Amino acid sequence: MKITVLGVGGMGSRFAIMLHQAGNDITLVDGWQANVDAIRKDGIQANFNGKQIAEKMPVYTPAEIDKSGIKADLIVVFLKSNQLESMFEQVQALIHPDTYVLCLLNGIGHEDVLEKFVAKDHLILGITMWTAGMTGPGHVELVGDGEVELQNFEPAGKDFALQVVDVFKGAGLNPKYSDNVKYSIWRKACVNGTLNVLCALLDCNIGELGKTREAPELLHTIIDEFAAVAKHEGVDLDTAEVYDHVAATFTADIADHYPSMHQDLVQHHRVTEVDFIDGAVARKGKKYGIATPYCTLLTQLVHAKEQLVGAK
Ligand SMILES: NC(=O)C1=CN([C@@H]2O[C@H](COP(=O)(O)OP(=O)(O)OC[C@H]3O[C@@H](n4cnc5c(N)ncnc54)[C@H](OP(=O)(O)O)[C@@H]3O)[C@@H](O)[C@H]2O)C=CC1
Ligand SMILES: CC(C)(CO)C(=O)C(=O)O
């Protein structure tokens, strides 16, 4: 399949490498000039489960797209939530009538932005439990296993979504076709609404968070707030199952991982995605008249910390 990976940070690099190694035709697009320069020179350099590899693929900045003539069957988006709208404004030439867009970003409500640029029946939404981290321009750490869940946003997109599942299977990305991706997205938001925010504020990895006495009550309370709000959006989360799913990460492969919000806030002093996770629940809670004191406080604390570290 001809695939463009839009956003070549940690996760974009992981998906690009795995899909390229499986024989797909991959083109990269990223807005960080130093990253593009490094990839153009030496390929994406990765510690891939302990093995040092370099994977060469064509790479462009948004400014180069008009002249590039890139035409892909699928665009896999791995930007940060807060970059989505401004990046899509710059790269509209990538989207042809038969191009599908797959969004696996953390957070809630990305379809509201994507619908402005992509026909709904060409939109595929999903989540991933794969991990990644950048160690510098063109350099990434890719350790452990993961999975993907995805579904077409409109019924007409189902055949293509199933093709994507096959292509991802061939690349070892452990994909699953979801019959209810809205549920999957809220369930994954509970993972990020707990692990990402708490690890970023406490400056710890997932396993370390799990060893604290406070972790179970924090998880339960935050998940309950997510569930109360999700119900108003037609999603009935099974809170006991979601708790078990989140708590299972404390002793899984992923336990050594510093969530992407930790990478942003603590390691790279970058603005976080909190407004699309706990912040989204706090905002929606206000709209529906549901108290969300934990989500509200955690969002405020993350924003306060962003200011203290001078996050950009
Ligand atoms: N990392 C993880 O383990 C996981 C992440 N996710 C989700 O995937 C999406 C993408 O996340 P992720 O790959 O971690 O994002 P990254 O921060 O690694 O990369 C995203 C983009 O940010 C820019 N960027 C990254 N680092 C820097 C830097 N130091 N200085 C300047 N610009 C930089 C780059 O483009 P540009 O210059 O155009 O901004 C890059 O394409 C997010 O929604 C995230 O929540 C989901 C599961 C796991
Ligand atoms: C890997 C995981 C699930 C950790 O919370 C994640 O989504 C992230 O780091 O953003």
mmCIF file with all atom_site columns, all heavy atoms in Angstrom, residues 117-131:
data_model
loop_
_atom_site.group_PDB
_atom_site.id
_atom_site.type_symbol
_atom_site.label_atom_id
_atom_site.label_alt_id
_atom_site.label_comp_id
_atom_site.label_asym_id
_atom_site.label_entity_id
_atom_site.label_seq_id
_atom_site.pdbx_PDB_ins_code
_atom_site.Cartn_x
_atom_site.Cartn_y
_atom_site.Cartn_z
_atom_site.occupancy
_atom_site.B_iso_or_equiv
_atom_site.pdbx_formal_charge
_atom_site.auth_seq_id
_atom_site.auth_comp_id
_atom_site.auth_asym_id
_atom_site.auth_atom_id
_atom_site.pdbx_PDB_model_num
ATOM 1   N N   . PHE A 1 117 ? -11.327 18.541 6.747  1.00 0.00 ? 117 PHE A N   1
ATOM 2   C CA  . PHE A 1 117 ? -10.342 18.347 5.671  1.00 0.00 ? 117 PHE A CA  1
ATOM 3   C C   . PHE A 1 117 ? -10.556 17.063 4.866  1.00 0.00 ? 117 PHE A C   1
ATOM 4   O O   . PHE A 1 117 ? -10.059 16.943 3.759  1.00 0.00 ? 117 PHE A O   1
ATOM 5   C CB  . PHE A 1 117 ? -8.924  18.317 6.267  1.00 0.00 ? 117 PHE A CB  1
ATOM 6   C CG  . PHE A 1 117 ? -8.594  19.546 7.070  1.00 0.00 ? 117 PHE A CG  1
ATOM 7   C CD1 . PHE A 1 117 ? -8.718  19.556 8.456  1.00 0.00 ? 117 PHE A CD1 1
ATOM 8   C CD2 . PHE A 1 117 ? -8.183  20.709 6.429  1.00 0.00 ? 117 PHE A CD2 1
ATOM 9   C CE1 . PHE A 1 117 ? -8.424  20.694 9.187  1.00 0.00 ? 117 PHE A CE1 1
ATOM 10  C CE2 . PHE A 1 117 ? -7.891  21.852 7.151  1.00 0.00 ? 117 PHE A CE2 1
ATOM 11  C CZ  . PHE A 1 117 ? -8.013  21.846 8.550  1.00 0.00 ? 117 PHE A CZ  1
ATOM 12  N N   . VAL A 1 118 ? -11.229 16.071 5.467  1.00 0.00 ? 118 VAL A N   1
ATOM 13  C CA  . VAL A 1 118 ? -11.350 14.748 4.855  1.00 0.00 ? 118 VAL A CA  1
ATOM 14  C C   . VAL A 1 118 ? -12.828 14.351 4.819  1.00 0.00 ? 118 VAL A C   1
ATOM 15  O O   . VAL A 1 118 ? -13.533 14.557 5.819  1.00 0.00 ? 118 VAL A O   1
ATOM 16  C CB  . VAL A 1 118 ? -10.614 13.685 5.724  1.00 0.00 ? 118 VAL A CB  1
ATOM 17  C CG1 . VAL A 1 118 ? -10.571 12.346 5.015  1.00 0.00 ? 118 VAL A CG1 1
ATOM 18  C CG2 . VAL A 1 118 ? -9.225  14.154 6.108  1.00 0.00 ? 118 VAL A CG2 1
ATOM 19  N N   . ALA A 1 119 ? -13.264 13.772 3.687  1.00 0.00 ? 119 ALA A N   1
ATOM 20  C CA  . ALA A 1 119 ? -14.652 13.288 3.626  1.00 0.00 ? 119 ALA A CA  1
ATOM 21  C C   . ALA A 1 119 ? -14.840 12.227 4.714  1.00 0.00 ? 119 ALA A C   1
ATOM 22  O O   . ALA A 1 119 ? -13.959 11.390 4.926  1.00 0.00 ? 119 ALA A O   1
ATOM 23  C CB  . ALA A 1 119 ? -14.917 12.694 2.252  1.00 0.00 ? 119 ALA A CB  1
ATOM 24  N N   . LYS A 1 120 ? -16.004 12.254 5.375  1.00 0.00 ? 120 LYS A N   1
ATOM 25  C CA  . LYS A 1 120 ? -16.237 11.350 6.519  1.00 0.00 ? 120 LYS A CA  1
ATOM 26  C C   . LYS A 1 120 ? -16.061 9.880  6.137  1.00 0.00 ? 120 LYS A C   1
ATOM 27  O O   . LYS A 1 120 ? -15.625 9.065  6.940  1.00 0.00 ? 120 LYS A O   1
ATOM 28  C CB  . LYS A 1 120 ? -17.644 11.548 7.060  1.00 0.00 ? 120 LYS A CB  1
ATOM 29  C CG  . LYS A 1 120 ? -17.795 12.784 7.915  1.00 0.00 ? 120 LYS A CG  1
ATOM 30  C CD  . LYS A 1 120 ? -19.187 12.772 8.511  1.00 0.00 ? 120 LYS A CD  1
ATOM 31  C CE  . LYS A 1 120 ? -19.568 14.131 9.015  1.00 0.00 ? 120 LYS A CE  1
ATOM 32  N NZ  . LYS A 1 120 ? -20.940 14.203 9.466  1.00 0.00 ? 120 LYS A NZ  1
ATOM 33  N N   . ASP A 1 121 ? -16.452 9.531  4.872  1.00 0.00 ? 121 ASP A N   1
ATOM 34  C CA  . ASP A 1 121 ? -16.343 8.117  4.492  1.00 0.00 ? 121 ASP A CA  1
ATOM 35  C C   . ASP A 1 121 ? -14.914 7.731  4.116  1.00 0.00 ? 121 ASP A C   1
ATOM 36  O O   . ASP A 1 121 ? -14.650 6.597  3.731  1.00 0.00 ? 121 ASP A O   1
ATOM 37  C CB  . ASP A 1 121 ? -17.341 7.760  3.382  1.00 0.00 ? 121 ASP A CB  1
ATOM 38  C CG  . ASP A 1 121 ? -17.179 8.616  2.144  1.00 0.00 ? 121 ASP A CG  1
ATOM 39  O OD1 . ASP A 1 121 ? -16.244 9.445  2.118  1.00 0.00 ? 121 ASP A OD1 1
ATOM 40  O OD2 . ASP A 1 121 ? -17.975 8.461  1.204  1.00 0.00 ? 121 ASP A OD2 1
ATOM 41  N N   . HIS A 1 122 ? -13.975 8.679  4.218  1.00 0.00 ? 122 HIS A N   1
ATOM 42  C CA  . HIS A 1 122 ? -12.550 8.377  3.992  1.00 0.00 ? 122 HIS A CA  1
ATOM 43  C C   . HIS A 1 122 ? -11.754 8.528  5.282  1.00 0.00 ? 122 HIS A C   1
ATOM 44  O O   . HIS A 1 122 ? -10.527 8.636  5.260  1.00 0.00 ? 122 HIS A O   1
ATOM 45  C CB  . HIS A 1 122 ? -11.980 9.267  2.883  1.00 0.00 ? 122 HIS A CB  1
ATOM 46  C CG  . HIS A 1 122 ? -12.306 8.736  1.522  1.00 0.00 ? 122 HIS A CG  1
ATOM 47  N ND1 . HIS A 1 122 ? -13.600 8.517  1.104  1.00 0.00 ? 122 HIS A ND1 1
ATOM 48  C CD2 . HIS A 1 122 ? -11.511 8.322  0.495  1.00 0.00 ? 122 HIS A CD2 1
ATOM 49  C CE1 . HIS A 1 122 ? -13.586 8.020  -0.118 1.00 0.00 ? 122 HIS A CE1 1
ATOM 50  N NE2 . HIS A 1 122 ? -12.326 7.877  -0.499 1.00 0.00 ? 122 HIS A NE2 1
ATOM 51  N N   . LEU A 1 123 ? -12.475 8.554  6.377  1.00 0.00 ? 123 LEU A N   1
ATOM 52  C CA  . LEU A 1 123 ? -11.844 8.750  7.681  1.00 0.00 ? 123 LEU A CA  1
ATOM 53  C C   . LEU A 1 123 ? -11.880 7.434  8.463  1.00 0.00 ? 123 LEU A C   1
ATOM 54  O O   . LEU A 1 123 ? -12.916 6.767  8.535  1.00 0.00 ? 123 LEU A O   1
ATOM 55  C CB  . LEU A 1 123 ? -12.648 9.828  8.416  1.00 0.00 ? 123 LEU A CB  1
ATOM 56  C CG  . LEU A 1 123 ? -12.069 10.458 9.663  1.00 0.00 ? 123 LEU A CG  1
ATOM 57  C CD1 . LEU A 1 123 ? -10.658 10.939 9.435  1.00 0.00 ? 123 LEU A CD1 1
ATOM 58  C CD2 . LEU A 1 123 ? -12.958 11.624 10.095 1.00 0.00 ? 123 LEU A CD2 1
ATOM 59  N N   . ILE A 1 124 ? -10.729 7.061  9.020  1.00 0.00 ? 124 ILE A N   1
ATOM 60  C CA  . ILE A 1 124 ? -10.633 5.862  9.853  1.00 0.00 ? 124 ILE A CA  1
ATOM 61  C C   . ILE A 1 124 ? -10.071 6.309  11.203 1.00 0.00 ? 124 ILE A C   1
ATOM 62  O O   . ILE A 1 124 ? -9.072  7.038  11.256 1.00 0.00 ? 124 ILE A O   1
ATOM 63  C CB  . ILE A 1 124 ? -9.700  4.804  9.210  1.00 0.00 ? 124 ILE A CB  1
ATOM 64  C CG1 . ILE A 1 124 ? -10.149 4.511  7.774  1.00 0.00 ? 124 ILE A CG1 1
ATOM 65  C CG2 . ILE A 1 124 ? -9.688  3.519  10.021 1.00 0.00 ? 124 ILE A CG2 1
ATOM 66  C CD1 . ILE A 1 124 ? -9.193  3.620  7.003  1.00 0.00 ? 124 ILE A CD1 1
ATOM 67  N N   . LEU A 1 125 ? -10.738 5.866  12.262 1.00 0.00 ? 125 LEU A N   1
ATOM 68  C CA  . LEU A 1 125 ? -10.299 6.281  13.603 1.00 0.00 ? 125 LEU A CA  1
ATOM 69  C C   . LEU A 1 125 ? -9.820  5.064  14.382 1.00 0.00 ? 125 LEU A C   1
ATOM 70  O O   . LEU A 1 125 ? -10.230 3.937  14.088 1.00 0.00 ? 125 LEU A O   1
ATOM 71  C CB  . LEU A 1 125 ? -11.459 6.928  14.357 1.00 0.00 ? 125 LEU A CB  1
ATOM 72  C CG  . LEU A 1 125 ? -12.050 8.189  13.729 1.00 0.00 ? 125 LEU A CG  1
ATOM 73  C CD1 . LEU A 1 125 ? -13.252 8.659  14.534 1.00 0.00 ? 125 LEU A CD1 1
ATOM 74  C CD2 . LEU A 1 125 ? -10.999 9.293  13.642 1.00 0.00 ? 125 LEU A CD2 1
ATOM 75  N N   . GLY A 1 126 ? -8.991  5.307  15.375 1.00 0.00 ? 126 GLY A N   1
ATOM 76  C CA  . GLY A 1 126 ? -8.538  4.176  16.173 1.00 0.00 ? 126 GLY A CA  1
ATOM 77  C C   . GLY A 1 126 ? -7.659  4.588  17.331 1.00 0.00 ? 126 GLY A C   1
ATOM 78  O O   . GLY A 1 126 ? -7.560  5.783  17.680 1.00 0.00 ? 126 GLY A O   1
ATOM 79  N N   . ILE A 1 127 ? -7.052  3.578  17.917 1.00 0.00 ? 127 ILE A N   1
ATOM 80  C CA  . ILE A 1 127 ? -6.147  3.789  19.058 1.00 0.00 ? 127 ILE A CA  1
ATOM 81  C C   . ILE A 1 127 ? -4.975  2.811  18.926 1.00 0.00 ? 127 ILE A C   1
ATOM 82  O O   . ILE A 1 127 ? -5.067  1.827  18.199 1.00 0.00 ? 127 ILE A O   1
ATOM 83  C CB  . ILE A 1 127 ? -6.853  3.539  20.412 1.00 0.00 ? 127 ILE A CB  1
ATOM 84  C CG1 . ILE A 1 127 ? -7.356  2.083  20.537 1.00 0.00 ? 127 ILE A CG1 1
ATOM 85  C CG2 . ILE A 1 127 ? -8.001  4.498  20.622 1.00 0.00 ? 127 ILE A CG2 1
ATOM 86  C CD1 . ILE A 1 127 ? -6.519  1.189  21.321 1.00 0.00 ? 127 ILE A CD1 1
ATOM 87  N N   . THR A 1 128 ? -3.915  3.122  19.660 1.00 0.00 ? 128 THR A N   1
ATOM 88  C CA  . THR A 1 128 ? -2.806  2.166  19.692 1.00 0.00 ? 128 THR A CA  1
ATOM 89  C C   . THR A 1 128 ? -2.171  2.109  21.079 1.00 0.00 ? 128 THR A C   1
ATOM 90  O O   . THR A 1 128 ? -2.121  3.117  21.777 1.00 0.00 ? 128 THR A O   1
ATOM 91  C CB  . THR A 1 128 ? -1.724  2.500  18.639 1.00 0.00 ? 128 THR A CB  1
ATOM 92  O OG1 . THR A 1 128 ? -0.657  1.551  18.756 1.00 0.00 ? 128 THR A OG1 1
ATOM 93  C CG2 . THR A 1 128 ? -1.166  3.902  18.801 1.00 0.00 ? 128 THR A CG2 1
ATOM 94  N N   . MET A 1 129 ? -1.728  0.915  21.432 1.00 0.00 ? 129 MET A N   1
ATOM 95  C CA  . MET A 1 129 ? -0.999  0.728  22.687 1.00 0.00 ? 129 MET A CA  1
ATOM 96  C C   . MET A 1 129 ? 0.503   0.529  22.411 1.00 0.00 ? 129 MET A C   1
ATOM 97  O O   . MET A 1 129 ? 1.255   0.182  23.304 1.00 0.00 ? 129 MET A O   1
ATOM 98  C CB  . MET A 1 129 ? -1.557  -0.473 23.470 1.00 0.00 ? 129 MET A CB  1
ATOM 99  C CG  . MET A 1 129 ? -2.916  -0.229 24.104 1.00 0.00 ? 129 MET A CG  1
ATOM 100 S SD  . MET A 1 129 ? -2.927  1.040  25.402 1.00 0.00 ? 129 MET A SD  1
ATOM 101 C CE  . MET A 1 129 ? -2.172  0.143  26.768 1.00 0.00 ? 129 MET A CE  1
ATOM 102 N N   . TRP A 1 130 ? 0.939   0.719  21.142 1.00 0.00 ? 130 TRP A N   1
ATOM 103 C CA  . TRP A 1 130 ? 2.372   0.709  20.885 1.00 0.00 ? 130 TRP A CA  1
ATOM 104 C C   . TRP A 1 130 ? 3.003   1.924  21.569 1.00 0.00 ? 130 TRP A C   1
ATOM 105 O O   . TRP A 1 130 ? 2.306   2.918  21.841 1.00 0.00 ? 130 TRP A O   1
ATOM 106 C CB  . TRP A 1 130 ? 2.646   0.779  19.372 1.00 0.00 ? 130 TRP A CB  1
ATOM 107 C CG  . TRP A 1 130 ? 2.387   -0.506 18.662 1.00 0.00 ? 130 TRP A CG  1
ATOM 108 C CD1 . TRP A 1 130 ? 1.251   -0.848 17.991 1.00 0.00 ? 130 TRP A CD1 1
ATOM 109 C CD2 . TRP A 1 130 ? 3.270   -1.630 18.567 1.00 0.00 ? 130 TRP A CD2 1
ATOM 110 N NE1 . TRP A 1 130 ? 1.372   -2.119 17.478 1.00 0.00 ? 130 TRP A NE1 1
ATOM 111 C CE2 . TRP A 1 130 ? 2.610   -2.625 17.817 1.00 0.00 ? 130 TRP A CE2 1
ATOM 112 C CE3 . TRP A 1 130 ? 4.555   -1.907 19.040 1.00 0.00 ? 130 TRP A CE3 1
ATOM 113 C CZ2 . TRP A 1 130 ? 3.176   -3.865 17.528 1.00 0.00 ? 130 TRP A CZ2 1
ATOM 114 C CZ3 . TRP A 1 130 ? 5.119   -3.139 18.748 1.00 0.00 ? 130 TRP A CZ3 1
ATOM 115 C CH2 . TRP A 1 130 ? 4.445   -4.097 18.010 1.00 0.00 ? 130 TRP A CH2 1
ATOM 116 N N   . THR A 1 131 ? 4.294   1.870  21.813 1.00 0.00 ? 131 THR A N   1
ATOM 117 C CA  . THR A 1 131 ? 4.983   3.004  22.460 1.00 0.00 ? 131 THR A CA  1
ATOM 118 C C   . THR A 1 131 ? 6.175   3.432  21.607 1.00 0.00 ? 131 THR A C   1
ATOM 119 O O   . THR A 1 131 ? 6.631   2.677  20.742 1.00 0.00 ? 131 THR A O   1
ATOM 120 C CB  . THR A 1 131 ? 5.506   2.623  23.849 1.00 0.00 ? 131 THR A CB  1
ATOM 121 O OG1 . THR A 1 131 ? 6.497   1.607  23.703 1.00 0.00 ? 131 THR A OG1 1
ATOM 122 C CG2 . THR A 1 131 ? 4.386   2.161  24.755 1.00 0.00 ? 131 THR A CG2 1
#
